[in-house]
Amino acid sequence: QLQLVESGGDLVQPGGSLRLSCAASGFTLDHYSIRWFRQVPWKEREGVSCISSSGGSSNYADSVKGRFTISRDNAKNTVYLTMNSLKPEDTAVYYCAATKEYCSAYVGYWDFDYWGKGTLVTVSS
C-alpha cells in the first residue's frame, strides 16, 4: 500500500526528548518535501516543520525553533523529527505529510499526496 507511517510517540516528562519517524511504504520520498504537523482535539492543525526533497533546506515554526530538528535519510526512505526540551504545550498528535510543493509554498490539505495517521506525544509529569 502507498502510505506514510509515523512512529516514536510516547509519554515523556517536561525537558525530555523524543525522535519521531515518518517511513514511506510503496513509494520513494526522493522527490517530496515532507512536513510535520501537530493537532490537539478541537484546535487547529499547526505546521511544525518542513524539509526539502534533498534535505538541503528546512524551516520550523517559531514555537519549536531551537528545540526541534527535522532530518531525512532518503536511502532509508524515512524522515525524522528530533524533539528536545519538550514542554507540556508540545502535547499533540503529530502527523507527517508528503508534497511536491516547495517548503516555502503556502499549502492546503489538497496539496499533499500522502498523509500519515499520526503518533501521540504526551509531555507531562
Side-chain angles (χ1 to χ4, degrees):
Q1 294 181 337
L2 305 179
Q3 61 181 4
L4 296 175
V5 179
E6 303 96 335
S7 62
D10 204 353
L11 170 65
V12 298
Q13 295 183 347
S17 298
L18 285 174
R19 187 180 75 165
L20 306 183
S21 297
C22 173
S25 178
F27 69 101
T28 60
L29 294 177
D30 291 359
H31 303 293
Y32 292 91
S33 296
I34 304 296
R35 299 194 184 208
W36 285 95
F37 298 87
R38 63 187 182 185
Q39 189 166 31
V40 177
W42 308 111
K43 299 192 69 174
E44 71 278 2
R45 184 180 64 243
E46 177 187 12
V48 175
S49 186
C50 182
I51 188 166
S52 64
S53 59
S54 68
S57 62
S58 59
N59 59 46
Y60 302 88
D62 288 342
S63 58
V64 307
K65 193 172 299 181
R67 300 187 297 119
F68 291 11
T69 302
I70 191 170
S71 61
R72 69 190 298 159
D73 187 341
N74 283 345
K76 295 182 178 180
N77 221 19
T78 301
V79 173
Y80 305 97
L81 185 67
T82 302
M83 306 184 296
N84 298 314
S85 302
L86 284 163
K87 305 174 181 179
E89 305 92 274
D90 296 317
T91 296
V93 176
Y94 284 72
Y95 301 88
C96 64
T99 177
K100 292 189 175 181
E101 298 287 344
Y102 296 126
C103 285
S104 59
Y106 186 87
V107 295
Y109 178 85
W110 296 107
D111 293 308
F112 292 90
D113 292 327
Y114 304 99
W115 283 89
K117 295 183 178 181
T119 185
L120 176 63
V121 173
T122 303
V123 185
S124 177
S125 298

